[in-house]
Amino acid sequence: MTEFSHLNASGEANMVDVSDKESTQRTAVAQAELSLSSDILQKIREHTIAKGDLLATARIAGIQAAKKCADLIPLCHPLPLSKVTIEIDEYHDGDEVGLRVQALCKTTGKTGVEMEALTAASIAALTIYDMCKAVDKAIVISKIRLMEKQGGKSGSWVREHD
C-alpha cells in the first residue's frame, strides 16, 4: 500500500512539496448523482423551479467551487485552472430518476486536479439540492467519485466499474 503523501515522518499533516515535480498537462473528471422525484425532474424540464435557472446556477456554482478548492480543502495546492466544465444530464435507472453532474477540470501544473473536479461536482449537486429542497427534501446526493484522470507521474486512470 502507498504511504499517505500528506503526512510527514512524525505523522503530522503537511502540504506536499511539489517544487521538484515537472509541470504537465493534467485533467480530471468527477461525477455526482442526485436521486430526485419525478415531480422535481418535471419542474426542472419545464424550468419552473421557483429559485430560477437551476442548471445555469449549478454550473456556475461548480465552476466557482473548482476555483476555490484550495480555500476549502486545507492541504490542496492552489492551481491555475485552464478549463472547468460542468455537464448535467438526466438519468433513469429502473424506478429511480435523477440528475448526473459531471465536472471536468484541466490545468498545466505540478499536481493533479482530482480534488478540483470532485469539489466542482459536489458543489454543483449541493446547489441543485438547495434550489429544489422547497419541493422535496428527500433528494439524495450519492456516488461522488473520480471517473478518470490524466497526466502527472502516475499517468492515466479510468474508473472501470460504477
Side-chain angles (χ1 to χ4, degrees):
M1 184 169 136
T2 305
E3 292 184 31
F4 290 111
S5 61
H6 287 80
L7 299 177
N8 65 17
S10 301
E12 301 164 331
N14 66 351
M15 183 181 246
V16 175
D17 183 358
V18 296
S19 58
D20 292 334
K21 291 176 81 176
E22 191 173 326
S23 286
T24 61
Q25 287 189 340
R26 296 160 183 269
T27 304
V29 177
Q31 264 184 13
E33 292 183 3
L34 294 101
S35 298
L36 305 171
S37 68
S38 296
D39 183 43
I40 291 177
L41 202 52
Q42 189 62 34
K43 289 180 184 306
I44 291 168
R45 284 186 200 122
E46 295 170 351
H47 302 284
T48 58
I49 296 293
K51 287 190 174 185
D53 188 340
L54 176 108
L55 300 179
T57 304
R59 282 192 297 272
I60 291 168
I63 292 166
Q64 284 297 105
K67 293 164 53 175
K68 291 291 190 178
C69 184
D71 293 334
L72 299 169
I73 300 176
L75 302 178
C76 283
H77 293 83
L79 298 178
L81 295 170
S82 54
K83 181 176 182 112
V84 178
T85 60
I86 307 293
E87 294 180 13
I88 304 168
D89 298 302
E90 284 185 34
Y91 74 85
H92 303 270
D93 186 10
D95 292 338
E96 189 175 311
V97 296
L99 295 176
R100 184 172 289 122
V101 177
Q102 183 168 287
L104 171 128
C105 294
K106 290 185 178 183
T107 192
T108 299
K110 297 179 178 211
T111 190
V113 289
E114 296 91 338
M115 295 311 300
E116 287 72 12
L118 286 160
T119 300
S122 300
I123 296 300
L126 286 167
T127 300
I128 292 168
Y129 181 95
D130 178 54
M131 294 181 74
C132 295
K133 70 181 185 270
V135 178
D136 184 2
K137 291 173 182 47
I139 298 166
V140 175
I141 299 171
S142 65
K143 295 186 180 177
I144 299 169
R145 62 205 184 270
L146 183 67
M147 300 306 290
E148 64 181 90
K149 61 83 72 192
Q150 297 172 353
K153 183 179 173 183
S154 64
S156 296
W157 177 87
V158 177
R159 179 173 297 282
E160 294 183 20
H161 304 285
D162 273 346

